[in-house]
Amino acid sequence: MLILGIETSCDETSASVVQNGQVILSNTISSQIDIHCKYGGVVPELASRHHLENINFVIAEVLKKARLQMTDMDALAVTRGPGLIGSLLVGIMAAKTLAALYRIPLIPIHHIEGHIYANFLEHNLKPPFLALVVSGGHTELIVQQGYARYKILGRTRDDAVGEAFDKVAKLLNLGYPGGPVIDKLAREGDPNYIKFPRPYLPGSYDFSFSGLKTAVVNFVSKQSTINYQLSTNIVASFQQAVIEVLVNKTIATAVKLKQKKIVLAGGVAANSALRTLFLAQIKTGGLKIYYPSPLLCTDNAAMIAGAAYYRIRNKKIKYNPKMLMFKAEPNLRL
Ligand code: KG4
Ligand code: ZN
């Protein structure tokens, strides 16, 4: 089964052709980082305008790379939400137009479901498992009970993890997006240099990172100058606080709920220190950890096409104009 996926929820214009939910035949990600970095974050109006300019080229390119045509597709998939409304609309309108024109079934997909299914593109994985979703907009602990059955245990009460990385990087003038820069810079720093708070929120599956972010702001404001070495120590100490909370809380939850598999998803799952700490800590509990390769952790359309496959694989679905009767949903819940 061939599915063409489209993802435009934030600042990457991406399309991908995926076979049977596992084989990526092509995956193009046109990033807008160069456009947004000078503003220190995503400017929604600019994002939607650039999606509009790129979407047709990106779709044409993935078909060409896969040596296929639109008429070869069994289904189309597109991110329905959550995300920036203007950005989502571009992908959805492109997908609806193609679906109507070629009479191909269209499957709307939840962005977070896509992030989780990025793991299925590279691993032989079956539910149930415990998923830790960590991205620029989300921090969630989810039990995935079946292929489309999710139980959300907890979420962030304030900043998402990726957002905290981005804000700390902005504070230190390290550029946007902050996660990859901090990941790299932290390798040169001492993670125990500053003992930042570890917000565990005992008794709850929720997270909270804004207090930790404020602790970094306060530390920085007390320094007269920040040289390169000190900045490596600050980001290493901040990152250590974040990953300790994520790893310890997730493992404790897996043990408590008797889940044997932990699945990481979202942009922050690309963080090398987070992966290393998980690998070190799970050894003791007889748990297994899964995460996508870094390119599939951040936003991409292969994960959207992958998720759509598991929604339709056992069904005989046919194009029906009613399939186009859905809207972009910036705050869509899983
Ligand atoms: O999943 P994603 O591409 O977009 C959302 O759905 O939000 O995640 C983007 C987030 C950004 O906040 C970025 O700073 C963070 O993921 N990120 C990282 C790393 N790579 C991306 N955070 C920490 N370490 C990384 N290596
Ligand atoms: Zn994302």
PDB file of all heavy atoms in Angstrom, residues 93-107:
ATOM      1  N   MET A  93      -5.257  21.997   2.357  1.00  0.00           N
ATOM      2  CA  MET A  93      -5.852  22.385   1.065  1.00  0.00           C
ATOM      3  C   MET A  93      -5.170  21.647  -0.085  1.00  0.00           C
ATOM      4  O   MET A  93      -5.833  21.216  -1.041  1.00  0.00           O
ATOM      5  CB  MET A  93      -5.760  23.903   0.850  1.00  0.00           C
ATOM      6  CG  MET A  93      -6.740  24.714   1.664  1.00  0.00           C
ATOM      7  SD  MET A  93      -8.414  24.040   1.720  1.00  0.00           S
ATOM      8  CE  MET A  93      -8.878  24.183   0.012  1.00  0.00           C
ATOM      9  N   ALA A  94      -3.857  21.496   0.005  1.00  0.00           N
ATOM     10  CA  ALA A  94      -3.138  20.762  -1.047  1.00  0.00           C
ATOM     11  C   ALA A  94      -3.629  19.318  -1.083  1.00  0.00           C
ATOM     12  O   ALA A  94      -3.930  18.761  -2.160  1.00  0.00           O
ATOM     13  CB  ALA A  94      -1.633  20.808  -0.783  1.00  0.00           C
ATOM     14  N   ALA A  95      -3.739  18.704   0.094  1.00  0.00           N
ATOM     15  CA  ALA A  95      -4.156  17.301   0.175  1.00  0.00           C
ATOM     16  C   ALA A  95      -5.588  17.115  -0.326  1.00  0.00           C
ATOM     17  O   ALA A  95      -5.887  16.174  -1.078  1.00  0.00           O
ATOM     18  CB  ALA A  95      -4.029  16.811   1.616  1.00  0.00           C
ATOM     19  N   LYS A  96      -6.481  18.022   0.071  1.00  0.00           N
ATOM     20  CA  LYS A  96      -7.892  17.904  -0.358  1.00  0.00           C
ATOM     21  C   LYS A  96      -8.001  18.084  -1.874  1.00  0.00           C
ATOM     22  O   LYS A  96      -8.777  17.379  -2.527  1.00  0.00           O
ATOM     23  CB  LYS A  96      -8.747  18.963   0.342  1.00  0.00           C
ATOM     24  CG  LYS A  96      -9.040  18.645   1.796  1.00  0.00           C
ATOM     25  CD  LYS A  96      -9.989  19.688   2.369  1.00  0.00           C
ATOM     26  CE  LYS A  96     -10.313  19.393   3.820  1.00  0.00           C
ATOM     27  NZ  LYS A  96     -11.163  20.416   4.424  1.00  0.00           N
ATOM     28  N   THR A  97      -7.234  19.002  -2.421  1.00  0.00           N
ATOM     29  CA  THR A  97      -7.285  19.247  -3.868  1.00  0.00           C
ATOM     30  C   THR A  97      -6.832  18.000  -4.628  1.00  0.00           C
ATOM     31  O   THR A  97      -7.497  17.551  -5.576  1.00  0.00           O
ATOM     32  CB  THR A  97      -6.381  20.454  -4.230  1.00  0.00           C
ATOM     33  OG1 THR A  97      -6.739  21.541  -3.397  1.00  0.00           O
ATOM     34  CG2 THR A  97      -6.534  20.837  -5.693  1.00  0.00           C
ATOM     35  N   LEU A  98      -5.726  17.425  -4.182  1.00  0.00           N
ATOM     36  CA  LEU A  98      -5.215  16.223  -4.865  1.00  0.00           C
ATOM     37  C   LEU A  98      -6.182  15.055  -4.710  1.00  0.00           C
ATOM     38  O   LEU A  98      -6.413  14.290  -5.655  1.00  0.00           O
ATOM     39  CB  LEU A  98      -3.830  15.842  -4.299  1.00  0.00           C
ATOM     40  CG  LEU A  98      -2.715  16.826  -4.645  1.00  0.00           C
ATOM     41  CD1 LEU A  98      -1.472  16.525  -3.828  1.00  0.00           C
ATOM     42  CD2 LEU A  98      -2.399  16.781  -6.141  1.00  0.00           C
ATOM     43  N   ALA A  99      -6.745  14.910  -3.502  1.00  0.00           N
ATOM     44  CA  ALA A  99      -7.681  13.809  -3.251  1.00  0.00           C
ATOM     45  C   ALA A  99      -8.892  13.923  -4.180  1.00  0.00           C
ATOM     46  O   ALA A  99      -9.312  12.936  -4.802  1.00  0.00           O
ATOM     47  CB  ALA A  99      -8.111  13.813  -1.788  1.00  0.00           C
ATOM     48  N   ALA A 100      -9.433  15.138  -4.311  1.00  0.00           N
ATOM     49  CA  ALA A 100     -10.622  15.347  -5.147  1.00  0.00           C
ATOM     50  C   ALA A 100     -10.292  15.144  -6.627  1.00  0.00           C
ATOM     51  O   ALA A 100     -11.056  14.519  -7.372  1.00  0.00           O
ATOM     52  CB  ALA A 100     -11.172  16.749  -4.913  1.00  0.00           C
ATOM     53  N   LEU A 101      -9.141  15.642  -7.020  1.00  0.00           N
ATOM     54  CA  LEU A 101      -8.729  15.579  -8.428  1.00  0.00           C
ATOM     55  C   LEU A 101      -8.469  14.149  -8.882  1.00  0.00           C
ATOM     56  O   LEU A 101      -8.905  13.723  -9.956  1.00  0.00           O
ATOM     57  CB  LEU A 101      -7.446  16.413  -8.570  1.00  0.00           C
ATOM     58  CG  LEU A 101      -7.125  17.035  -9.909  1.00  0.00           C
ATOM     59  CD1 LEU A 101      -8.250  17.971 -10.325  1.00  0.00           C
ATOM     60  CD2 LEU A 101      -5.815  17.828  -9.778  1.00  0.00           C
ATOM     61  N   TYR A 102      -7.770  13.400  -8.055  1.00  0.00           N
ATOM     62  CA  TYR A 102      -7.392  12.025  -8.436  1.00  0.00           C
ATOM     63  C   TYR A 102      -8.295  10.962  -7.811  1.00  0.00           C
ATOM     64  O   TYR A 102      -8.064   9.779  -7.998  1.00  0.00           O
ATOM     65  CB  TYR A 102      -5.928  11.751  -8.039  1.00  0.00           C
ATOM     66  CG  TYR A 102      -4.937  12.550  -8.838  1.00  0.00           C
ATOM     67  CD1 TYR A 102      -4.481  13.779  -8.384  1.00  0.00           C
ATOM     68  CD2 TYR A 102      -4.448  12.082 -10.058  1.00  0.00           C
ATOM     69  CE1 TYR A 102      -3.569  14.526  -9.109  1.00  0.00           C
ATOM     70  CE2 TYR A 102      -3.531  12.817 -10.798  1.00  0.00           C
ATOM     71  CZ  TYR A 102      -3.105  14.036 -10.316  1.00  0.00           C
ATOM     72  OH  TYR A 102      -2.196  14.773 -11.044  1.00  0.00           O
ATOM     73  N   ARG A 103      -9.253  11.406  -7.027  1.00  0.00           N
ATOM     74  CA  ARG A 103     -10.194  10.502  -6.346  1.00  0.00           C
ATOM     75  C   ARG A 103      -9.437   9.456  -5.522  1.00  0.00           C
ATOM     76  O   ARG A 103      -9.642   8.240  -5.636  1.00  0.00           O
ATOM     77  CB  ARG A 103     -11.137   9.848  -7.369  1.00  0.00           C
ATOM     78  CG  ARG A 103     -11.916  10.899  -8.171  1.00  0.00           C
ATOM     79  CD  ARG A 103     -12.852  10.293  -9.192  1.00  0.00           C
ATOM     80  NE  ARG A 103     -13.920   9.519  -8.587  1.00  0.00           N
ATOM     81  CZ  ARG A 103     -15.016  10.024  -8.037  1.00  0.00           C
ATOM     82  NH1 ARG A 103     -15.172  11.324  -7.998  1.00  0.00           N
ATOM     83  NH2 ARG A 103     -15.932   9.244  -7.537  1.00  0.00           N
ATOM     84  N   ILE A 104      -8.558   9.973  -4.692  1.00  0.00           N
ATOM     85  CA  ILE A 104      -7.770   9.102  -3.799  1.00  0.00           C
ATOM     86  C   ILE A 104      -8.258   9.353  -2.367  1.00  0.00           C
ATOM     87  O   ILE A 104      -8.441  10.511  -1.978  1.00  0.00           O
ATOM     88  CB  ILE A 104      -6.258   9.439  -3.882  1.00  0.00           C
ATOM     89  CG1 ILE A 104      -5.766   9.350  -5.330  1.00  0.00           C
ATOM     90  CG2 ILE A 104      -5.437   8.517  -2.988  1.00  0.00           C
ATOM     91  CD1 ILE A 104      -4.334   9.840  -5.518  1.00  0.00           C
ATOM     92  N   PRO A 105      -8.446   8.295  -1.560  1.00  0.00           N
ATOM     93  CA  PRO A 105      -8.884   8.497  -0.168  1.00  0.00           C
ATOM     94  C   PRO A 105      -7.892   9.381   0.600  1.00  0.00           C
ATOM     95  O   PRO A 105      -6.684   9.257   0.401  1.00  0.00           O
ATOM     96  CB  PRO A 105      -8.890   7.086   0.433  1.00  0.00           C
ATOM     97  CG  PRO A 105      -8.760   6.148  -0.696  1.00  0.00           C
ATOM     98  CD  PRO A 105      -8.268   6.881  -1.898  1.00  0.00           C
ATOM     99  N   LEU A 106      -8.433  10.234   1.457  1.00  0.00           N
ATOM    100  CA  LEU A 106      -7.580  11.143   2.250  1.00  0.00           C
ATOM    101  C   LEU A 106      -7.791  10.870   3.735  1.00  0.00           C
ATOM    102  O   LEU A 106      -8.918  10.862   4.221  1.00  0.00           O
ATOM    103  CB  LEU A 106      -7.938  12.601   1.912  1.00  0.00           C
ATOM    104  CG  LEU A 106      -7.252  13.675   2.765  1.00  0.00           C
ATOM    105  CD1 LEU A 106      -5.732  13.592   2.671  1.00  0.00           C
ATOM    106  CD2 LEU A 106      -7.713  15.082   2.344  1.00  0.00           C
ATOM    107  N   ILE A 107      -6.683  10.663   4.445  1.00  0.00           N
ATOM    108  CA  ILE A 107      -6.747  10.337   5.882  1.00  0.00           C
ATOM    109  C   ILE A 107      -6.144  11.497   6.678  1.00  0.00           C
ATOM    110  O   ILE A 107      -4.950  11.757   6.579  1.00  0.00           O
ATOM    111  CB  ILE A 107      -5.922   9.050   6.205  1.00  0.00           C
ATOM    112  CG1 ILE A 107      -6.070   7.983   5.108  1.00  0.00           C
ATOM    113  CG2 ILE A 107      -6.237   8.514   7.588  1.00  0.00           C
ATOM    114  CD1 ILE A 107      -7.472   7.473   4.931  1.00  0.00           C
TER     115      ILE A 107
END
